[in-house]
Amino acid sequence: MVIGQALSHQARVRILAILAEGERCGCELAGMLGLDPSVISRHLALLADAGLIVSRREGQRLLWRLAHSKVPLILRCLARLTCERGKNDVVASHPQRI
Protein backbone atom coordinates (compact mmCIF):
# COMPACT_ATOMS: atom_id res chain seq x y z
CA MET A 1 0.00 0.00 0.00
CA VAL A 2 1.20 3.47 -0.81
CA ILE A 3 1.68 5.91 2.06
CA GLY A 4 -0.94 8.26 0.58
CA GLN A 5 -3.52 5.51 0.63
CA ALA A 6 -2.60 4.59 4.20
CA LEU A 7 -3.17 8.21 5.25
CA SER A 8 -6.47 8.50 3.40
CA HIS A 9 -8.60 7.29 6.31
CA GLN A 10 -9.21 9.43 9.39
CA ALA A 11 -8.92 6.49 11.79
CA ARG A 12 -5.46 5.61 10.47
CA VAL A 13 -4.30 9.20 10.82
CA ARG A 14 -5.64 9.24 14.39
CA ILE A 15 -3.81 5.98 15.12
CA LEU A 16 -0.56 7.53 13.91
CA ALA A 17 -1.16 10.60 16.07
CA ILE A 18 -1.70 8.40 19.13
CA LEU A 19 1.40 6.33 18.36
CA ALA A 20 3.42 9.55 18.06
CA GLU A 21 2.90 9.83 21.83
CA GLY A 22 4.28 6.33 22.43
CA GLU A 23 3.87 2.63 21.94
CA ARG A 24 0.36 1.13 22.32
CA CYS A 25 -1.33 -2.21 21.91
CA GLY A 26 -4.26 -2.64 19.55
CA CYS A 27 -6.68 -3.14 22.44
CA GLU A 28 -5.76 0.30 23.82
CA LEU A 29 -6.24 1.89 20.41
CA ALA A 30 -9.65 0.24 20.03
CA GLY A 31 -10.78 1.72 23.34
CA MET A 32 -9.34 5.16 22.62
CA LEU A 33 -10.95 5.37 19.18
CA GLY A 34 -14.18 3.59 20.03
CA LEU A 35 -13.70 1.09 17.20
CA ASP A 36 -14.04 -2.67 17.12
CA PRO A 37 -10.71 -4.46 17.66
CA SER A 38 -11.04 -6.19 14.27
CA VAL A 39 -11.34 -2.80 12.55
CA ILE A 40 -8.29 -1.52 14.44
CA SER A 41 -6.40 -4.65 13.43
CA ARG A 42 -7.11 -4.00 9.73
CA HIS A 43 -6.04 -0.37 10.04
CA LEU A 44 -2.83 -1.40 11.81
CA ALA A 45 -2.08 -3.96 9.10
CA LEU A 46 -2.50 -1.32 6.38
CA LEU A 47 -0.26 1.13 8.22
CA ALA A 48 2.35 -1.60 8.71
CA ASP A 49 2.19 -2.56 5.02
CA ALA A 50 2.85 1.09 4.16
CA GLY A 51 5.92 1.01 6.40
CA LEU A 52 4.58 3.63 8.80
CA ILE A 53 4.39 1.46 11.93
CA VAL A 54 6.09 -1.63 13.32
CA SER A 55 5.15 -4.06 16.05
CA ARG A 56 6.81 -6.13 18.73
CA ARG A 57 5.41 -8.88 20.87
CA GLU A 58 5.40 -8.64 24.64
CA GLY A 59 3.86 -11.83 26.01
CA GLN A 60 0.32 -12.02 24.63
CA ARG A 61 0.27 -8.36 23.60
CA LEU A 62 1.31 -6.95 20.24
CA LEU A 63 2.67 -3.44 20.75
CA TRP A 64 2.76 -0.90 17.92
CA ARG A 65 4.97 2.13 17.41
CA LEU A 66 5.91 4.49 14.62
CA ALA A 67 8.48 3.08 12.22
CA HIS A 68 10.16 6.44 11.64
CA SER A 69 10.70 9.53 13.73
CA LYS A 70 9.60 11.66 10.74
CA VAL A 71 5.97 10.43 10.79
CA PRO A 72 4.78 13.20 13.16
CA LEU A 73 6.35 15.77 10.80
CA ILE A 74 4.43 14.22 7.89
CA LEU A 75 1.20 14.44 9.89
CA ARG A 76 1.82 18.11 10.70
CA CYS A 77 2.54 18.90 7.05
CA LEU A 78 -0.64 17.13 5.95
CA ALA A 79 -2.68 19.01 8.54
CA ARG A 80 -1.24 22.29 7.34
CA LEU A 81 -1.97 21.41 3.70
CA THR A 82 -5.54 20.46 4.57
CA CYS A 83 -6.13 23.80 6.29
CA GLU A 84 -4.53 25.76 3.45
CA ARG A 85 -6.48 23.81 0.85
CA GLY A 86 -9.75 25.01 2.34
CA LYS A 87 -8.68 28.60 1.76
CA ASN A 88 -7.08 28.21 -1.65
CA ASP A 89 -8.86 25.28 -3.29
CA VAL A 90 -8.99 26.32 -6.94
CA VAL A 91 -10.83 23.16 -7.98
CA ALA A 92 -13.53 23.53 -5.31
CA SER A 93 -14.09 27.21 -6.13
CA HIS A 94 -14.23 26.69 -9.89
CA PRO A 95 -17.83 26.66 -11.22
CA GLN A 96 -17.12 23.80 -13.62
CA ARG A 97 -15.49 21.34 -11.27
CA ILE A 98 -13.94 18.26 -12.70
Side-chain angles (χ1 to χ4, degrees), residues 1-9 12-13 47 50 52 74 78:
M1 172 177 275
V2 181
I3 290 175
Q5 289 174 318
L7 297 174
S8 68
H9 195 281
R12 290 192 288 269
V13 173
L47 290 168
L52 294 170
I74 293 168
L78 287 173

Side-chain angles (χ1 to χ4, degrees), residues 5-7 10 18 22 37 41 47 49 52 60 67 83-84 92 97:
Q5 289 174 318
L7 297 174
Q10 182 183 11
I18 292 168
S41 180
L47 290 168
D49 287 346
L52 294 170
Q60 294 287 343
C83 292
E84 289 176 8
R97 280 178 73 171

